[in-house]
Amino acid sequence: MIFRQLFEPVSSTWTYLLGCESTGQAMLIDPVLPAWQQNLSVIRELGLELALTLDTHIHADHISAAARLRRETGCRIAHPAIDGLACADVPVEEGAPLALGSLSIEPLFTPGHTDGHHAYRCADRLFSGDALLIDGCGRTDFQNGDPSALYHSVRDKLFTLPDETLVYPAHDYQGRRVSSIGQEKTRNPRLGGDRSLAEFEAIMAGLQLAYPRFIDFAVPGNRQCGVCPPDVPENLAQYCAQIGDSPQG
Ligand SMILES: [Fe+2]
């Protein structure tokens, strides 16, 4: 497998590039709009062709680059079927692996952060989206989030994978790149060890997180596979600009 981990700084998102060495096909998991050109240059430098984009969920903190990348390259857009996005080409669900050349990507329905969230497993790597972060997890207070569902998604599904499975999260705000199932099972302060559901629910209820600043634009934009709404205010324009763009005006 050809593999690259790509960072988008505006939303601290990790985007993952997976490529098949035999067919030259590439896929991007959770590509972010401001970085679409950078993502494509990496793919082209590697001599690959973008076949597919794949999102873990409807993001609230950034605009997906899926629609833009499809327009530029003719790639297909894969997205969890449960979200019912009319713009998606490939409906994704657990039990129906995606093929990328010789690679097989297994969707794992992991609701709780959102009600449609999926993680993806490819060989010994898990792309855990916002369900499981390094020493943390995604918030559960928007988008039909549900702490109980997240607890069961992580502990009953993701934590049953082999301990040596590498965990690649959708975000890290401290620059960390990778963990493992064994490590998260042991030391994740929210979900690891013998943490009970009641304790986890209390942790999530006590977080007192701020209202997500971009959610009112990101969610409608991402229901269209990544369109920047026309009314994005100046102070949020960085979410829609391309990295390297000169400032407007
Ligand atoms: Fe998210």
Side-chain angles (χ1 to χ4, degrees), residues 42-182:
V42 176
I43 288 171
R44 285 172 180 155
E45 278 162 24
L46 290 164
L48 302 171
E49 200 165 304
L50 183 63
L52 204 62
T53 66
L54 174 62
D55 276 277
T56 51
H57 63 292
I58 294 176
H59 304 280
D61 63 339
H62 68 261
I63 301 275
S64 168
R68 183 62 196 246
L69 288 164
R70 179 171 62 186
R71 197 158 82 227
E72 295 292 327
T73 68
C75 71
R76 291 181 305 155
I77 295 175
H79 192 93
I82 188 173
D83 284 329
L85 300 191
C87 52
D89 305 302
V90 182
V92 169
E93 56 188 344
E94 184 170 304
L98 292 167
L100 182 78
S102 60
L103 305 180
S104 176
I105 294 100
E106 179 192 353
L108 297 168
F109 182 44
T110 40
H113 170 63
T114 73
D115 54 359
H117 187 284
H118 282 65
Y120 301 108
R121 195 186 66 82
C122 182
D124 62 348
R125 290 173 165 92
L126 174 73
F127 303 98
S128 58
D130 286 0
L132 178 61
L133 304 178
I134 299 173
D135 288 346
C137 64
R139 63 195 294 170
T140 52
D141 49 349
F142 288 98
Q143 300 181 278
N144 299 319
D146 177 348
S148 171
L150 184 59
Y151 181 89
H152 291 295
S153 290
V154 171
R155 292 188 57 111
D156 301 349
K157 194 169 283 184
L158 300 184
F159 282 180
T160 65
L161 297 170
D163 279 356
E164 58 274 21
T165 305
L166 297 170
V167 173
Y168 288 98
H171 298 285
D172 194 89
Y173 303 96
Q174 296 170 48
R176 295 168 298 189
R177 290 173 166 266
V178 62
S179 179
S180 69
I181 289 294

